[in-house]
Amino acid sequence: MSTTSHVEPKTVRQILGKVGLYSGLAILLLFLVFPIYYMFATSFKTPGEAYRLPPTLFPLRPTLDAYPYVIQQWSYWRTLLNTVFVAGTSAASATIIGGIAAYGFSRMQFAGKSVLYGLMIGTIAIPAMVTLGPIFIAYKNMNLLDTHVGLIAVFVAEGLPMAFLTLFSYFKAIPKDLDEAAYIDGTGFVGTFFRIILPLALPGFSVTFLLLLIGFWNEFLFAFTLTVTPEVRMLTVRLFEVPARENVNAVPYDLIAAGGVLILLPLVPLLIKVRDQLVEGILAGALKD
Amino acid sequence: MTTTTDALATASRMKLHLRINWLAYCVVLPAIVIRCGFTVVPMIQTILLSLTNKNLTNEGRFIGLTNYIRLASDPIFLSSLSFTLIYTFASVVLELVLGLIVAMLLMRVARFKLITNLAMLLPWVMAPLLAATVWKILYLEHGGILNQLLLALKIVSEPVHWLSDGNTARVSVTITTVWKNLSWVALIFMAALGALPRELYEAAQVDGATVLQRFRFITLPLLMPTIYLVLMFRGMAEVVTYEQIGGLTGGGPGSATTNLALYTYQRFFQELRYGYGSAVNVVLLLLTIAIGGFFAWRLYRSGR
């Protein structure tokens, strides 16, 4: 008797708690995913359905017609290649340059260390917007506007603090005795870095690279301001140039949505493959200690 | 005996450092030089530009604080400053509170890890401008799915003017920003919650503390460093928001959602008033440094 009276309210409360928990989860997932679902759904609609009143939740006659149109108007493959090249090169350079600096800070003593550390971290508080104007003017004078080299240089500078912080936390987790033993054994700095540190911190390097790649893939302010011609521009910038159909005045939501899918889709496999490491990397960059 | 070996180890370590000191600068300086070249140098140039009347046709001359004096009576600047402050405060507070709730919720759900992880990461991985583009389609007044759903569920009786009414548009851009950044905040909180000591909660439970008391007296104080960290990073990011607002409203209707970032961009790159645009930029810079500095200081204090 006493056990049943003891157990029952608990199970009722447990069931209520479970219901609350899972309805909370359902609302959250709906809030997070619905806009993305609707982008996909709109991209599969026919032009007529895309501006139909009232709007439809599911495409009535799903079609891929919007995609070839956007791919052609945006010269998508060329733009994708630009994006992969600029974002990839920038991410790799920032990871290596920032990683080497982080290694130096985590292992070496030198005069002015705290000042230089402060410069590296403190510059995070200088917004990109504040640097944009003078960089634009300087690039105009140096003929670097509308070049990939110019864009990559800015991106590397923008990515350095993140690379530095993330890798710094990975290096701090590697026992110093390991590389000091290597030094004493006569392995030089370069040898130690590439033979001991790089393999041990490889997950850190790859996650830093991926986080930066995603950041540069999505960057807009510099990519928009510092480039002009379509042949040089990157994917995100294309979102500002709404593709249009001839003889149609209405805003082509199906084309805009398809464009959005084409920008997001290349990142999705990345996300599925490395989502746990990504979370770990985000945390390593943010939580320094 | 141990002290001697320790001393020896320290001595050899110091010798090591001395030997490789020159190397340290070669290792560290490239990153510092590149970083400063693209941040500190342009920042100084912006400050200097803000003291001139340079524009596209005029090489510009030193005019002291004239630009700043003019800012003080520029109604659009003042409204963009106040909107920047309101928007930053609202989005950061919402991200903080909702992020913590989401984190505590997800900590208790053991199932559907794959789906939840993906759902969390998708908004985070989207370009801010893409998020704005997607939400612009949702926010359509006539033929928008959001109004359609709200009308069908009888939550509203007439279409909401998501982007065409000034005050509503201010709320709309905030919602989009919170949607985009909620995941990041929740992930940070999940890591922090996972690292809290279990024993404290067990002890509190034995003492008969309620759920609310446990949150108020154990979770919250232990989370303070994480809260400052989130406030610092999100505050510095939201105060300079450009793409989300630009993509959703372009700063409109009128100048209702024009924040400092949009305003400085318009002055600098559209009107090509380099001096005046830079003065707005300096205000933005000071604001960012104030937010970052304040919470960095709180974070440092709470860590001790």
Side-chain angles (χ1 to χ4, degrees):
Chain A
M1 263 310 270
S2 66
T3 40
T4 42
S5 67
H6 219 78
V7 162
E8 241 164 58
K10 208 177 172 189
T11 34
V12 168
R13 202 198 288 164
Q14 273 179 341
I15 289 168
L16 276 178
K18 273 254 151 48
V19 169
L21 200 64
Y22 283 104
S23 36
L25 185 72
I27 293 169
L28 171 71
L29 291 183
L30 201 65
F31 174 63
L32 291 175
V33 171
F34 182 75
I36 295 162
Y37 159 76
Y38 197 68
M39 172 177 78
F40 276 85
T42 307
S43 79
F44 297 141
K45 289 178 180 176
T46 59
E49 196 186 341
Y51 5 86
R52 209 188 81 143
L53 269 167
T56 46
L57 257 183
F58 313 97
L60 298 173
R61 268 174 287 123
T63 166
L64 287 171
D65 281 356
Y67 286 87
Y69 211 89
V70 178
I71 287 172
Q72 190 246 322
Q73 286 232 332
W74 276 4
S75 41
Y76 177 73
W77 300 115
R78 175 63 203 261
T79 314
L80 182 70
L81 198 69
N82 287 345
T83 312
V84 171
F85 173 70
V86 173
T89 312
S90 312
S93 315
T95 305
I96 291 168
I97 299 171
I100 289 176
Y103 179 65
F105 273 104
S106 75
R107 293 297 196 272
M108 297 169 174
Q109 297 304 325
F110 48 90
K113 186 175 175 180
S114 55
V115 174
L116 291 178
Y117 185 87
L119 267 181
M120 194 71 192
I121 304 303
T123 51
I124 293 175
I126 302 174
M129 186 58 91
V130 173
T131 65
L132 184 65
I135 290 177
F136 175 79
I137 294 173
Y139 270 28
K140 205 164 78 178
N141 297 334
M142 287 152 53
N143 287 325
L144 277 171
L145 275 187
D146 213 22
T147 63
H148 283 161
V149 178
L151 213 49
I152 290 169
V154 177
F155 281 177
V156 170
E158 285 298 304
L160 277 175
M162 209 286 268
F164 179 84
L165 284 177
T166 311
L167 288 168
F168 192 72
S169 75
Y170 274 93
F171 294 152
K172 265 170 65 180
I174 300 173
K176 280 186 188 173
D177 306 344
L178 270 178
D179 36 326
E180 268 166 17
Y183 277 128
I184 288 156
D185 287 351
T187 318
F189 171 80
V190 179
T192 312
F193 185 80
F194 282 100
R195 269 191 263 156
I196 313 254
I197 298 300
L198 195 66
L200 280 173
L202 200 60
F205 277 95
S206 62
V207 113
T208 307
F209 172 79
L210 287 174
L211 286 171
L212 288 173
L213 183 77
I214 291 170
F216 299 146
W217 190 282
N218 292 333
E219 208 281 336
F220 175 77
L221 201 55
F222 286 115
F224 178 70
T225 311
L226 302 179
T227 63
V228 186
T229 50
E231 289 73 38
V232 180
R233 288 200 142 167
M234 292 171 68
L235 272 176
T236 322
V237 178
R238 293 286 185 163
L239 272 174
F240 252 28
E241 306 153 20
V242 176
R245 280 196 183 84
E246 280 168 49
N247 308 322
V248 178
N249 281 328
V251 185
Y253 294 112
D254 57 325
L255 297 184
I256 296 173
V261 171
L262 286 171
I263 292 174
L264 180 65
L265 218 51
L267 293 178
V268 171
L270 215 72
L271 211 58
I272 295 171
K273 209 161 175 202
V274 294
R275 53 175 210 290
D276 296 329
Q277 293 95 305
L278 276 182
V279 172
E280 189 187 302
I282 295 172
L283 296 176
L287 310 169
K288 280 177 287 170
D289 301 296
Chain B
M1 197 50 206
T2 36
T3 33
T4 20
T5 36
D6 277 356
L8 269 174
T10 321
S12 76
R13 208 171 282 173
M14 276 171 71
K15 214 162 113 194
L16 188 72
H17 292 318
L18 285 176
R19 212 180 68 219
I20 58 175
N21 202 333
W22 64 273
L23 189 62
Y25 293 105
C26 297
V27 165
V28 160
L29 280 180
I32 307 275
V33 168
I34 294 173
R35 181 67 192 163
C36 291
F38 280 90
T39 55
V40 177
V41 174
M43 177 189 73
I44 294 168
Q45 285 174 316
T46 292
I47 295 170
L48 293 176
L49 266 177
S50 77
L51 304 173
T52 71
N53 59 356
K54 185 178 162 87
N55 58 35
L56 188 67
T57 51
N58 177 355
E59 250 316 295
R61 57 183 177 80
F62 181 79
I63 55 165
L65 294 175
T66 311
N67 283 329
Y68 293 94
I69 293 162
R70 245 188 289 160
L71 277 184
S73 54
D74 175 348
I76 303 181
F77 166 75
L78 294 174
S79 87
S80 68
L81 177 62
S82 76
F83 174 60
T84 303
L85 295 173
I86 296 167
Y87 164 85
T88 305
F89 180 79
S91 49
V92 169
V93 167
L94 280 172
E95 281 163 15
L96 187 80
V97 173
L98 293 177
L100 185 53
I101 293 173
V102 168
M104 300 210 298
L105 176 80
L106 291 183
M107 294 293 280
R108 311 194 66 187
V109 179
R111 288 151 77 185
F112 315 117
K113 275 272 181 280
L114 181 75
I115 294 171
T116 352
N117 270 342
L118 274 181
M120 292 284 284
L121 287 174
L122 271 173
W124 169 81
V125 84
M126 276 177 114
L129 183 64
L130 181 53
T133 309
V134 170
W135 276 85
K136 200 174 180 178
I137 297 176
L138 298 178
Y139 280 146
L140 281 177
E141 249 160 66
H142 300 288
I145 192 76
L146 218 53
N147 270 342
Q148 177 66 25
L149 289 174
L150 291 178
L151 286 169
L153 294 171
K154 303 235 184 309
I155 296 174
V156 296
S157 55
E158 52 186 273
V160 181
H161 302 294
W162 292 109
L163 300 175
S164 64
D165 172 76
N167 282 330
T168 318
R170 291 176 156 196
V171 176
S172 304
V173 295
T174 311
I175 293 174
T176 304
T177 298
V178 171
W179 175 81
K180 170 90 182 73
N181 300 321
L182 183 63
S183 309
W184 185 87
V185 177
L187 287 172
I188 300 284
F189 275 130
M190 281 170 80
L193 287 170
L196 295 182
R198 283 252 138 270
E199 315 85 67
L200 274 177
Y201 288 89
E202 281 153 17
Q205 208 156 15
V206 171
D207 290 347
T210 63
V211 177
L212 245 122
Q213 282 173 325
R214 268 180 277 161
F215 178 78
R216 169 71 186 80
F217 294 106
I218 303 176
T219 312
L220 213 50
L222 287 174
L223 277 185
M224 277 331 272
T226 316
I227 290 173
Y228 290 133
L229 183 106
V230 166
L231 288 173
M232 178 177 75
F233 276 110
R234 287 323 321 158
M236 286 199 298
E238 304 323 357
V239 78
V240 298
T241 307
Y242 178 77
E243 293 111 295
Q244 276 118 299
I245 298 176
L248 271 174
T249 65
S255 57
T257 56
T258 299
N259 67 356
L260 285 176
L262 264 89
Y263 192 61
T264 183
Y265 197 91
Q266 286 165 4
R267 292 291 160 275
F268 199 103
F269 287 101
Q270 284 160 16
E271 296 177 1
L272 303 164
R273 290 164 69 189
Y274 297 152
Y276 199 66
S278 297
V280 181
N281 238 336
V282 171
V283 178
L284 186 60
L285 172 71
L286 293 177
L287 215 54
T288 314
I289 292 175
I291 293 172
F294 177 74
F295 289 116
W297 171 68
R298 298 298 302 178
L299 180 64
Y300 175 73
R301 284 276 307 271
S302 69
R304 289 194 303 181

